[in-house]
Amino acid sequence: MIKKYLLFLLIFCRFSFIQSQNINLTEEEVITTLCHTWSLSFATIQGNPIQINADFKVQFNRDYSYFLLSNPENPGKWSYNKQGKYIELQTNGRTARITTLSKKEMIFIEMIIDENHRSTPPNSQFHFIRS
């Protein structure tokens, strides 16, 4: 019974991971859509909304850089992986992926948190709207 349950979870997780990466845009379309200021709308952990009491805004630039408006001195780099259908964000040894991008909404998941091996709980999503 446990083997069937684990097999079901493995298949379901792989299917949901593949489905969540759905950016099917050209490089120029990604630049045009992404390069704006975005505000955190809400976040979820395992499908449950969490409260964030901060004005969290991020600015994406055409030179493939991005930064938090609260900390512009610490920029990161972004890149579009067309084959993988996601945008990867790198800063201070941390990695995140934007898995959904439209003119109105962007969703990202954090992949690696820090050197202490703390990680975001499974199925965490951060939803942004264009400012």
Side-chain angles (χ1 to χ4, degrees), residues 37-38 54-59 66-75:
T37 301
W38 296 83
D55 186 23
F56 191 78
K57 293 184 179 182
V58 61
Q59 170 68 45
Y66 72 96
F67 60 89
L68 297 176
L69 292 183
S70 63
N71 189 10
E73 305 82 31
N74 189 21

Side-chain angles (χ1 to χ4, degrees), residues 8-59:
F8 171 77
L9 284 178
L10 179 63
I11 292 170
F12 178 75
C13 290
R14 293 184 91 203
F15 179 74
S16 65
F17 183 75
I18 291 168
Q19 293 299 314
S20 68
Q21 297 178 355
N22 59 1
I23 301 174
N24 289 311
L25 303 172
T26 66
E27 184 91 15
E28 186 57 37
E29 289 171 326
V30 167
I31 291 169
T32 301
T33 306
L34 181 65
C35 294
H36 296 279
T37 301
W38 296 83
S39 299
L40 182 64
S41 177
F42 68 95
T44 62
I45 295 178
Q46 297 180 347
N48 298 313
I50 59 171
Q51 186 171 348
I52 298 176
N53 296 324
D55 186 23
F56 191 78
K57 293 184 179 182
V58 61
Q59 170 68 45

Side-chain angles (χ1 to χ4, degrees), residues 21 48 53 56 77 84 92 110 123 127:
Q21 297 178 355
N48 298 313
N53 296 324
F56 191 78
K77 291 289 184 187
N92 294 336
E110 193 152 17
N123 301 320
H127 296 252

Side-chain angles (χ1 to χ4, degrees), residues 1-11:
M1 183 67 178
I2 292 175
K3 287 182 181 180
K4 287 182 182 180
Y5 178 72
L6 291 175
L7 181 60
F8 171 77
L9 284 178
L10 179 63
I11 292 170

Side-chain angles (χ1 to χ4, degrees), residues 16 51 88 112 119-120 125:
S16 65
Q51 186 171 348
E88 188 165 275
I112 300 171
S119 62
T120 304
Q125 295 185 342

Side-chain angles (χ1 to χ4, degrees), residues 104-123:
K104 296 181 180 181
E105 182 183 40
M106 162 179 81
I107 300 172
F108 83 76
I109 56 174
E110 193 152 17
M111 305 300 288
I112 300 171
I113 298 293
D114 62 24
E115 67 278 356
N116 296 321
H117 304 289
R118 292 181 298 192
S119 62
T120 304
N123 301 320

